[in-house]
Amino acid sequence: MEEGVGNESQEAPLAKWRSEMSRAFQYYLDRSTPHTMRRWLGTLAVGLIYVLRVYYVEGFYVVSYGLGIYILNLLIGFLSPKDDRELEALDGASLPTKGSDEYKPFIRRLPEFKFWYAITKAFVVAFILTFFSVLDVPVFWPILLCYWIVLFVLTMKRQILHMIKYKYVPFSSGKQRYTGKNSSASSSTAMD
């Protein structure tokens, strides 16, 4: 019986510490949300550290290939609309496609914040994996690079054709601002 009581007393501080660390991590993650440029610069730095690690170790090309495939998958989710018209057409429920129909804004299947977070996590995990020599599988890396480039070109070609077919652009230059009628033109008309 004494072992059970001692074990519970050891688990409680560990669970409390884990809960506090999780809460602190979520707090800083939430605070980083509006700082898009800083977040992506941080991810770029983490990616650069990973690339330098792989370059200097001269290995872990399979880990890098897996990372590249995962990032390509995330990119497709980032560039794809949440409501895919091709999939809805297969289900029988089709959306109106005429110009007079209601405007629907582009909503991503994978939002920017989740895209950033997943890529950052992927680089960190891949960096950690480079410390396990069992994952350093000997492979001729130019073949993997060629495979990845072919896969990237084919996937992006399909995605761009999808964008052209359904007439959407997944990027915007910021919030759209609408201005009223030109005040000088309306005041001169009122005088006439």
Side-chain angles (χ1 to χ4, degrees):
M1 289 209 168
E2 292 177 18
E3 291 178 17
V5 173
N7 195 12
E8 288 177 10
S9 65
Q10 290 176 355
E11 288 180 18
L14 183 62
K16 184 179 177 183
W17 177 81
R18 185 175 178 194
S19 173
E20 288 174 2
M21 291 302 291
S22 175
R23 192 174 302 126
F25 178 73
Q26 189 63 45
Y27 171 77
Y28 288 113
L29 198 60
D30 291 343
R31 296 251 340 231
S32 73
T33 302
H35 306 288
T36 308
M37 183 60 76
R38 291 180 189 166
R39 284 189 285 121
W40 281 104
L41 287 175
T43 299
L44 185 65
V46 170
L48 185 63
I49 291 170
Y50 172 76
V51 168
L52 289 174
R53 167 89 174 137
V54 169
Y55 177 75
Y56 285 119
V57 172
E58 295 179 359
F60 297 99
Y61 301 121
V62 173
V63 174
S64 299
Y65 180 71
L67 176 66
I69 296 294
Y70 181 69
I71 289 174
L72 182 60
N73 185 28
L74 290 175
L75 183 64
I76 294 303
F78 180 70
L79 296 176
S80 299
K82 186 174 183 180
D83 300 322
D84 194 356
R85 294 178 186 172
E86 275 185 1
L87 296 177
E88 289 176 359
L90 294 175
D91 292 341
S94 62
L95 293 174
T97 56
K98 297 179 184 174
S100 63
D101 294 332
E102 181 181 349
Y103 169 74
K104 285 185 142 188
F106 180 79
I107 301 172
R108 299 176 191 286
R109 187 173 358 153
L110 181 64
E112 184 271 335
F113 185 80
K114 289 183 179 181
F115 178 59
W116 164 79
Y117 185 63
I119 285 180
T120 306
K121 264 194 329 189
F123 274 119
V124 169
V125 168
F127 181 76
I128 291 170
L129 291 178
T130 62
F131 291 100
F132 298 100
S133 61
V134 72
L135 297 174
D136 190 11
V137 179
V139 66
F140 187 59
W141 67 266
I143 298 284
L144 289 180
L145 182 63
C146 289
Y147 284 159
W148 189 85
I149 289 172
V150 167
L151 187 63
F152 178 80
V153 168
L154 292 176
T155 306
M156 285 297 113
K157 178 183 174 189
R158 191 187 76 198
Q159 188 66 33
I160 290 171
L161 290 175
H162 189 270
M163 288 180 208
I164 292 170
K165 181 178 179 181
Y166 292 105
K167 299 176 184 157
Y168 68 90
V169 179
F171 304 107
S172 65
S173 59
K175 186 175 179 180
Q176 224 173 5
R177 299 187 191 275
Y178 296 99
T179 56
K181 294 182 180 178
N182 191 351
S183 60
S184 62
S186 62
S187 63
S188 66
T189 313
M191 293 180 160
D192 291 339

